[in-house]
Amino acid sequence: MKKILLVAVLGTALVSCGGPSVCDCTQKGKEMMKEMTDAKDDAAKKAVEEKYKGEMEACEKLGEGKSPEELKEMMKEAESCK
């Protein structure tokens, strides 16, 4: 019971954080591109797309509704990510 409560509290905390950061999205994009270039055939590429589908959708939403100025700031932040 304690484990279920802990998982529920952590899950709520993560959801309330507002989703992925620009650096999270940059890192996931790099990981996905590496796996895509390593994929041997279309089936392997499709599997990579499916693996990252939810994360990439969340990252796309990160930029929705942003002004051009905000998008420029996000690009600067993405360039500074490790």
Side-chain angles (χ1 to χ4, degrees):
M1 184 66 179
K2 288 182 182 180
K3 289 182 182 181
I4 294 172
L5 181 59
L6 179 61
V7 169
V9 169
L10 287 174
T12 303
L14 290 173
V15 169
S16 67
C17 288
S21 71
V22 172
C23 286
D24 292 339
C25 291
T26 302
Q27 183 61 35
K28 287 296 174 188
K30 288 178 183 178
E31 291 172 11
M32 182 179 172
M33 290 307 296
K34 182 180 182 331
E35 288 186 36
M36 288 294 269
T37 56
D38 292 344
K40 303 290 185 212
D41 57 20
D42 288 339
K45 289 179 182 180
K46 183 73 173 171
V48 172
E49 287 177 5
E50 287 298 316
K51 177 181 175 181
Y52 288 96
K53 183 178 180 179
E55 294 168 339
M56 292 296 109
E57 287 174 355
C59 289
E60 288 173 13
K61 290 180 182 178
L62 191 61
E64 287 180 1
K66 302 284 190 219
S67 71
E69 305 288 321
E70 291 171 316
L71 292 173
K72 285 180 185 177
E73 287 299 315
M74 290 174 70
M75 291 299 292
K76 286 182 186 176
E77 186 178 344
E79 290 171 1
S80 68
C81 297
K82 293 181 180 181

